[in-house]
Amino acid sequence: MSKKVNIKICVGTSCFVQGGADLLLYNDFIDPEIIEKCEVEGTSCFNACKSSGKEGAPFVMINDIIYGDMTPVKLKKIVTEAFYARNK
Amino acid sequence: MKDIFIDIDYSQIYKNGQKIGGDVFLQKRNPERNQIVAVLSDGLGSGVKANVLASLTANMAKKLSFSPMDLKHSAKIIMDTLPVCKERKISYSTFSIADIRYNSLNSNIQVNFLEYDNPRALYFRNSNNIEWVGDVNVLNRAKAFKKEEIIHNVFNLKVGDRLIIFSDGITQAGMGISKLLGWRLSGVKEFVSKVLENNPSISSRALTKTIVNKALNLDGFASKDDITCCCIYIRKPRRTLIVTGPPFLSESDNLLCQKINEFSGKKIISGGTTALIVSRILNKKVRVDLSSYSKEVPPLSIMEGMDLVTEGMLTLSKVVYTLEKKVPMNELLNDAVKRYIELILDSDQVHFIVGTKINEAHQDPSIPVDIGIRRTLIARLRRAIEDNYLKETSIEYI
């Protein structure tokens, strides 16, 4: 039984306009076999934009860790790694 | 805000093959004097000539109704002024004038109703037809070519009352085709009661459309005359609450939620942070509905007890733009903006509760789009729905 990877994409205003909109097209750039075993949710602001200094929007939470400056390429990489880490 | 809403609307189909109608409907609201005038006029003949006659009649009737002059005297002036038809050597057009006055609290709605040669208007209380007579006045004009009878009525309208006014295109629909003598007043009456029984809260717009389409149907889908129907409907207003922005002081969060709970009507929460506050205090979960994806606005969310939960500024900007430009509904994508506009257009009164706290994340200069200021945006939204869609609005800041 494989464990699901939990992905939360911020759809707050600030994240959405700075690239979050592209992340919502996750079906287009992540491997379908992997995305099938992920739980993808939209969520409102994590308040990460106000607290973390270095990283900027858009933010995505993967298995309870918040990642900033997310791009489709980076998201694919992290999700794939997280998936194989959980399903060795 | 007023507790009663006067819903006036009409539908019209021109005579088959005509590009201009001989029936004219006009309405004018004068909120300062608490007066609404609705006029339906049918000009002699059809096409341009009839349109000129009917427009003249309707405009004069509208203007004269706002003057202190007696309605019966106005009728005389209108008939004296109409131009004479070259072929028929008469000047003629029918009219119905409803001069509606209400006091400032909007109760006690008095109608001064005048009819000349249009089919008798129908008066419905809920789905029951109310028979009415009215005093008949013979005008005795010097230039009259026939006996001119004006039927005058003064009465009070209550919540649930409808006054349905139509031209002879309705009562004569189907004459010689589907019905020997046309639809007739009795047929229309029966049809309207049936519609009202099935759908007691039908709007004026939908009701008149139903009647007009039925008349066209009876005419074999090629109207023999201009078909016009208008309806005056007194009802309780449909209300919508729009909550946007977190309160300036976090102590007011509870007050905001209390206001949301107490409001009766549709509820829209516009803003991610606002939704989180409400969700925390009312203990209801917010879930983002990713299926409503669009490139322009973030997806909408779902919360129990709320009719719509959306992201804030981007969605609002798009809503304001769409309403200001009067973009038709069928051109909109199936996203949060469409749902938002549907809710606004379905209501008569919109109340705004605007939080005045500034969102720090929006102050970042690297954001690629202009996010704007909430208060300016709400002011534009109010103007758009008041001017373009004739809704009432009110606002409070928190």
Side-chain angles (χ1 to χ4, degrees):
Chain A
M1 181 68 196
S2 58
K3 284 181 198 157
K4 288 204 166 186
V5 178
N6 187 279
I7 308 172
K8 284 181 177 172
I9 304 172
C10 177
V11 292
T13 312
S14 186
C15 286
F16 189 84
V17 294
Q18 296 184 75
D22 302 327
L23 301 178
L24 293 177
L25 294 171
Y26 52 83
N27 278 327
D28 297 351
F29 56 81
I30 299 181
D31 192 344
E33 268 183 38
I34 294 178
I35 207 75
E36 208 179 55
K37 297 191 174 102
C38 293
E39 214 176 313
V40 188
E41 289 172 53
T43 165
S44 34
C45 193
F46 299 123
N47 275 328
C49 37
K50 289 166 197 166
S51 53
S52 79
K54 283 170 271 168
E55 291 180 314
F59 291 93
V60 176
M61 188 191 269
I62 298 164
N63 289 337
D64 298 327
I65 304 168
I66 296 177
Y67 299 89
D69 287 327
M70 194 52 80
T71 59
V73 178
K74 200 173 158 191
L75 182 63
K76 182 184 174 182
K77 191 171 152 258
I78 299 173
V79 170
T80 313
E81 278 167 10
F83 175 75
Y84 285 118
R86 288 213 161 184
N87 301 283
K88 271 177 194 164
Chain B
M1 277 204 193
K2 289 160 183 163
D3 283 335
I4 287 174
F5 184 75
I6 304 175
D7 175 14
I8 305 180
D9 214 328
Y10 81 110
S11 292
Q12 185 169 47
I13 295 171
Y14 298 149
K15 182 175 174 176
N16 192 29
Q18 296 282 3
K19 289 201 167 54
I20 187 167
D23 290 357
V24 170
F25 172 77
L26 287 176
Q27 66 153 315
K28 189 159 169 74
R29 290 176 187 243
N30 186 345
E32 282 120 59
R33 288 174 51 188
N34 293 334
Q35 189 182 7
I36 302 174
V37 173
V39 188
L40 176 70
S41 172
D42 181 0
L44 180 71
S46 68
V48 175
K49 192 199 292 174
N51 187 274
V52 170
L53 278 169
S55 301
L56 257 175
T57 312
N59 272 301
M60 276 194 282
K62 189 184 78 183
K63 274 265 150 59
L64 290 168
S65 304
F66 282 110
S67 74
M69 197 188 292
D70 179 39
L71 265 188
K72 280 179 263 177
H73 187 61
S74 312
K76 226 174 205 171
I77 295 178
I78 293 168
M79 291 158 110
D80 280 337
T81 321
L82 289 178
V84 179
C85 170
K86 213 165 115 191
E87 290 162 40
R88 304 180 180 87
K89 309 280 182 232
I90 50 173
S91 65
Y92 180 67
S93 79
T94 71
F95 52 82
S96 302
I97 309 172
D99 178 358
I100 306 161
R101 287 163 206 252
Y102 47 90
N103 66 21
S104 53
L105 289 169
N106 223 347
S107 54
N108 187 20
I109 302 162
Q110 197 191 53
V111 186
N112 202 343
F113 191 55
L114 202 69
E115 290 176 288
Y116 173 60
D117 273 11
N118 269 341
R120 294 300 304 276
L122 296 178
Y123 182 23
F124 279 88
R125 175 155 296 164
N126 302 318
S127 61
N128 309 316
N129 179 246
I130 293 176
E131 296 292 336
W132 58 336
V133 264
D135 1 314
V136 180
N137 298 278
V138 182
L139 275 187
N140 295 324
R141 272 189 325 136
K143 282 193 268 179
F145 60 92
K146 70 179 202 67
K147 194 176 172 200
E148 292 170 337
E149 279 180 348
I150 282 189
I151 302 162
H152 183 232
N153 264 301
V154 180
F155 51 93
N156 284 322
L157 290 177
K158 292 198 182 81
V159 175
D161 285 6
R162 284 184 180 85
L163 191 61
I164 302 163
I165 309 167
F166 36 85
S167 66
D168 58 359
I170 300 251
T171 45
Q172 291 171 5
M175 197 184 278
I177 304 168
S178 50
K179 295 195 184 289
L180 197 59
L181 295 168
W183 200 4
R184 312 186 77 181
L185 202 54
S186 52
V188 185
K189 209 181 278 179
E190 209 175 296
F191 178 76
V192 176
S193 345
K194 219 173 267 171
V195 172
L196 292 180
E197 252 166 51
N198 293 336
N199 192 351
S201 62
I202 188 168
S203 70
S204 289
R205 186 187 189 81
L207 177 63
T208 53
K209 206 159 204 161
T210 315
I211 298 171
V212 162
N213 282 338
K214 176 72 182 174
L216 184 68
N217 186 335
L218 291 173
D219 259 344
F221 295 104
S223 44
K224 300 285 169 292
D225 191 1
D226 301 315
I227 297 172
T228 311
C229 176
C230 79
C231 174
I232 299 168
Y233 176 28
I234 315 292
R235 61 173 163 81
K236 290 264 179 227
R238 289 187 291 242
R239 290 188 170 137
T240 298
L241 174 72
I242 297 179
V243 180
T244 176
F248 187 72
L249 299 169
S250 49
E251 290 88 73
S252 311
D253 289 358
N254 278 317
L255 179 70
L256 176 71
C257 293
Q258 193 189 336
K259 283 184 187 216
I260 295 175
N261 263 345
E262 281 168 2
F263 187 85
S264 69
K266 297 258 168 68
K267 296 167 190 175
I268 305 179
I269 296 182
S270 205
T273 316
T274 321
L276 284 182
I277 292 172
V278 175
S279 136
R280 187 189 59 200
I281 292 176
L282 300 183
N283 202 11
K284 282 172 185 162
K285 241 188 130 194
V286 205
R287 191 169 59 78
V288 176
D289 175 17
L290 286 178
S291 66
S292 61
Y293 175 79
S294 114
K295 196 88 187 129
E296 286 160 359
V297 290
L300 53 88
S301 310
I302 294 163
M303 195 199 292
E304 187 203 321
M306 304 297 148
D307 295 275
L308 181 65
V309 179
T310 70
E311 175 275 340
M313 298 304 284
L314 295 176
T315 313
L316 273 175
S317 315
K318 191 82 197 300
V319 167
V320 171
Y321 174 84
T322 312
L323 291 174
E324 278 178 346
K325 292 276 179 296
K326 291 192 178 183
V327 180
M329 287 296 271
N330 53 7
E331 287 176 19
L332 298 179
L333 297 170
N334 196 15
D335 60 8
V337 173
K338 186 172 183 176
R339 288 275 300 130
Y340 210 114
I341 290 174
E342 273 171 352
L343 281 175
I344 290 182
L345 295 191
D346 257 353
S347 49
D348 309 312
Q349 294 175 346
V350 184
H351 183 63
F352 292 91
I353 298 182
V354 181
T356 43
K357 193 173 163 118
I358 287 165
N359 191 335
E360 289 154 33
H362 295 187
Q363 309 310 312
D364 183 353
S366 62
I367 289 184
V369 291
D370 177 25
I371 290 187
I373 300 167
R374 195 184 302 277
R375 266 190 279 181
T376 341
L377 206 55
I378 296 296
R380 275 172 58 200
L381 179 58
R382 283 185 74 191
R383 208 171 319 126
I385 55 186
E386 277 180 4
D387 295 353
N388 293 350
Y389 297 96
L390 307 175
K391 317 256 178 228
E392 279 179 49
T393 65
S394 57
I395 193 162
E396 67 183 291
Y397 294 102
I398 188 163

